[in-house]
Amino acid sequence: MENVKIIGCGYAKAEKKLFNTDLEKIVDTSDEWIVQRTGIHSRYITQTKNTSDLAFEAAKKAIKDAQIDVSLIDCILVATTTPDCITPSTACLVQEKLGLNGQECTSFDLNAACSGFVYGLSLASMMLETYSTILVIGAETLSKIIDWNDRNTCVLFGDGAGAALIQKSNQGRMVSFTKSTGDKDGFLMCKGLSLQEKEMSYLEMNGKEVFRFAIEAMPYSIEKVLEKANQKIEDIDLFIPHQANIRILKHVAKKMKIDFDRIFVNLDEFGNTSSASIAIALAQAKEQGKIKKGMKMVLTGFGAGFTSGAIYLEW
Ligand code: UT7
């Protein structure tokens, strides 16, 4: 369905702000290297909260922003790669925290890594044929799957959550494109729980290969979604991409001839929060007054799998 409106959004930060200089004390790295190679200055880490707690905080803010009664929510979808437990789903835990136990509400998680929020919105827009008010959340506590001795990964990631509420409406438009290709070489993986690897393990990444994938996948997704929505790149007021690396965003901007001031960036503050990144960025852009009625926007992500996708939005 294309007649879809985001009626509210919100985000939650984890409590501990970790600066690059803090990481200099843990691994052989430097503030200079991290800033130059990634654009990241800090990230938020939790030591007290689960993914469902951050998801719940973001959800409450989205509900307040939308000014709706919580009981209207009849579907909850949480995109995460770091759920509290294998079962029940984080979405069911959020439902409980919102006081919706016993209410008819369909809640489940999805894992599409850093493309999770884009996949979530895409799926939710189709589900509006059946449900009236869908809460889509991207939430992560990546700090628990990070090897804090591995400088290749620990400088990049952070924890957090973002949420959006969607409803059917003639006043908004949403068009989506999603794709997965497979990652046969295992360039981005957290292997725990396979037959061979029963212990929980850490996130492993070949940064160069993921970089290469990202600068192909994001432009492809943007082109595809604009084609489906019958829009041109110059018509788009604001791009909200997955926040992984400023150099990736600069590559994409150059390749697609997008002025950099049309791209929302908060990776300097948050680092890469995987499924949560686009959701947090959307809510923060709205909070900062950067999103106005009638604006045309594109959200786009890429991640492990390899997954990728984009959402075209008329606000
Ligand atoms: O959501 C998707 C998740 N992942 C991504 O988006 C990652 C995409 N990739 C990237 O962002 C970049 O590839 C990285 C930031 C991960 C790495 O940047 P790079 O420019 O590709 O660096 P590199 O891996 O080629 O490493 C260059 C050098 C190496 O040293 P030598 O071999 O040249 O002596 C690394 O060992 O930098 C070294 N290095 C570091 N030095 C200081 C790698 N990590 C660090 C570090 N601090 N944290």
Side-chain angles (χ1 to χ4, degrees):
M1 175 182 302
E2 289 196 9
N3 293 335
V4 177
K5 186 172 171 54
I6 294 185
I7 59 163
C9 39
Y11 67 99
K13 286 179 186 175
E15 71 280 359
K16 188 173 166 55
K17 192 169 190 178
L18 209 58
F19 291 94
N20 294 344
T21 44
D22 297 319
L23 292 170
E24 286 176 354
K25 294 174 199 143
I26 306 174
V27 286
D28 180 15
T29 191
S30 66
D31 176 49
E32 193 192 357
W33 189 95
I34 302 170
V35 172
Q36 269 183 10
R37 307 307 295 166
T38 71
I40 297 168
H41 290 257
S42 63
R43 71 289 291 143
Y44 297 94
I45 301 292
T46 183
Q47 288 165 333
T48 58
K49 290 176 186 171
N50 270 316
T51 299
S52 67
D53 298 317
L54 291 168
F56 171 55
E57 275 177 46
K60 276 194 299 186
K61 290 186 184 157
I63 293 162
K64 192 168 173 216
D65 186 43
Q67 297 181 307
I68 58 155
D69 194 276
V70 63
S71 62
L72 279 181
I73 297 170
D74 53 1
C75 178
I76 302 173
L77 219 153
V78 177
T80 186
T81 49
T82 48
D84 295 16
C85 41
I86 292 168
T87 194
S89 68
T90 316
C92 284
L93 299 175
V94 172
Q95 177 181 346
E96 223 173 283
K97 286 176 205 253
L98 286 171
L100 296 174
N101 332 36
Q103 169 155 328
E104 279 183 23
C105 183
T106 299
S107 306
F108 63 96
D109 289 0
L110 79 84
N111 178 346
C114 308
S115 311
F117 188 66
V118 165
Y119 271 53
L121 283 179
S122 170
L123 188 58
S125 66
M126 297 172 210
M127 293 175 74
L128 281 177
E129 300 285 356
T130 305
Y131 301 98
S132 77
T133 307
I134 307 185
L135 175 61
V136 183
I137 303 174
E140 301 284 4
T141 46
L142 291 165
S143 54
K144 68 188 177 196
I145 60 162
I146 295 300
D147 178 355
W148 289 97
N149 296 311
D150 177 11
R151 69 176 183 174
N152 290 305
T153 51
C154 78
V155 302
L156 304 175
F157 298 96
D159 302 333
L165 277 157
I166 68 164
Q167 282 182 340
K168 208 184 291 185
S169 165
N170 290 331
Q171 292 179 13
R173 186 169 174 226
M174 186 182 289
V175 179
S176 61
F177 169 78
T178 54
K179 180 180 171 180
S180 350
T181 58
D183 172 19
K184 65 179 168 39
D185 299 303
F187 288 139
L188 186 48
M189 291 189 83
C190 182
K191 290 187 199 145
L193 303 181
S194 70
L195 263 182
Q196 295 75 17
E197 209 117 4
K198 294 227 171 67
E199 299 281 308
M200 193 63 201
S201 51
Y202 294 120
L203 188 78
E204 294 167 53
M205 182 181 73
N206 179 327
K208 278 212 180 321
E209 292 297 340
V210 178
F211 195 109
R212 213 165 280 153
F213 166 71
I215 59 172
E216 293 297 324
M218 285 214 283
Y220 185 78
S221 296
I222 295 170
E223 269 167 21
K224 281 290 192 187
V225 87
L226 290 180
E227 200 180 296
K228 273 178 91 175
N230 200 18
Q231 299 290 322
K232 293 200 233 27
I233 196 110
E234 54 272 25
D235 299 332
I236 305 305
D237 302 297
L238 188 65
F239 291 86
I240 302 192
H242 171 45
Q243 307 285 317
N245 186 324
I246 196 85
R247 285 162 49 225
I248 293 177
L249 302 186
K250 286 189 172 154
H251 258 86
V252 173
K254 192 169 170 207
K255 190 167 179 175
M256 306 207 74
K257 300 189 173 59
I258 301 169
D259 306 325
F260 208 73
D261 60 3
R262 283 194 287 151
I263 301 182
F264 185 80
V265 179
N266 68 1
L267 62 87
D268 48 329
E269 179 188 357
F270 283 86
N272 179 347
T273 56
S274 189
S275 303
S277 106
I278 297 171
I280 295 173
L282 176 70
Q284 208 183 30
K286 182 160 189 272
E287 183 185 66
Q288 292 174 2
K290 295 194 167 136
I291 303 180
K292 307 246 160 47
K293 195 166 165 35
M295 262 175 77
K296 295 180 175 182
M297 294 162 48
V298 170
L299 319 182
T300 179
F302 67 92
F306 285 127
T307 58
S308 52
I311 301 280
Y312 166 78
L313 280 179
E314 279 169 29
W315 198 266

